[in-house]
Amino acid sequence: MLSKKAKYALKALLHLTRQHDKGLVIISDIAEKERIPRKFLEAILVDLKTNGVLQSVRGKNGGYYLSKSPGEVSVGNVIRMIDGPLAPIPCVSHLYYRKCDECIDEATCEIRIVMKKVRDATAEILDNTFLSDLETISGLVEEERE
């Protein structure tokens, strides 16, 4: 399940994607427009900055901006940065693999086989959906509302 922190990270990044070529964005603007508690947002933005997705400028006229193109930041990578592995169980994770203590034979474990399919399908969608795609989707939703 997607954590609230990861959901807020995606919402903040989508907000910054919409402002991508318009300059710095202040935290209070993101918090207000995306309805994210400011203190929680501050911690999220620090995590995203540490992971190289954002840059910031301090001071009176400071703010945040994307350090990469929206077409280079996948939803899957953002979720991994915030929540960790996409895999539902550790024995099918690429980055966080851990053998299950009770497993006798991974190659024939029915649970592992189906959870690997879940992981593969999830990763296929999330790793091939980028911030720029989300912006396009949100534009289509806005057109439908009008």
Side-chain angles (χ1 to χ4, degrees):
M1 181 183 300
L2 187 68
S3 71
K4 189 161 273 204
K5 185 176 182 182
K7 182 178 180 182
Y8 285 166
L10 290 167
K11 287 173 66 88
L13 289 170
L14 184 55
H15 184 87
L16 288 164
T17 296
R18 289 187 204 108
Q19 305 298 318
H20 184 57
D21 294 323
K22 298 177 185 169
L24 299 171
V25 180
I26 58 174
I27 291 177
S28 59
D29 186 41
I30 300 169
E32 179 185 326
K33 294 224 169 57
E34 300 303 327
R35 301 175 63 187
I36 302 171
R38 184 185 166 113
K39 286 290 185 189
F40 197 23
L41 179 60
E42 288 173 2
I44 292 167
L45 296 180
V46 167
D47 285 348
L48 293 171
K49 183 178 174 186
T50 300
N51 282 288
V53 177
L54 298 179
Q55 290 293 322
S56 66
V57 175
R58 291 178 173 239
K60 181 180 173 188
N61 296 318
Y64 282 88
Y65 63 95
L66 293 172
S67 60
K68 298 180 178 186
S69 160
E72 295 177 303
V73 181
S74 77
V75 173
N77 282 337
V78 172
I79 293 170
R80 284 185 193 93
M81 285 175 207
I82 303 299
D83 284 350
L86 298 176
I89 57 177
C91 66
V92 297
S93 178
H94 283 298
L95 301 175
Y96 304 92
Y97 171 84
R98 191 178 77 245
K99 186 176 181 343
C100 297
D101 295 333
E102 68 282 354
C103 192
I104 297 167
D105 179 20
E106 282 186 352
T108 60
C109 176
E110 297 87 349
I111 296 169
R112 183 178 192 275
I113 292 167
V114 83
M115 290 300 126
K116 184 180 180 304
K117 288 180 181 181
V118 170
R119 189 243 15 237
D120 291 347
T122 301
E124 173 67 25
I125 294 166
L126 296 177
D127 289 340
N128 290 296
T129 303
F130 297 86
L131 295 178
S132 55
D133 299 324
L134 293 178
E135 183 182 30
T136 302
I137 292 167
S138 68
L140 295 173
V141 171
E142 288 299 317
E143 287 177 13
E144 287 179 10
R145 288 183 186 161
E146 294 175 354

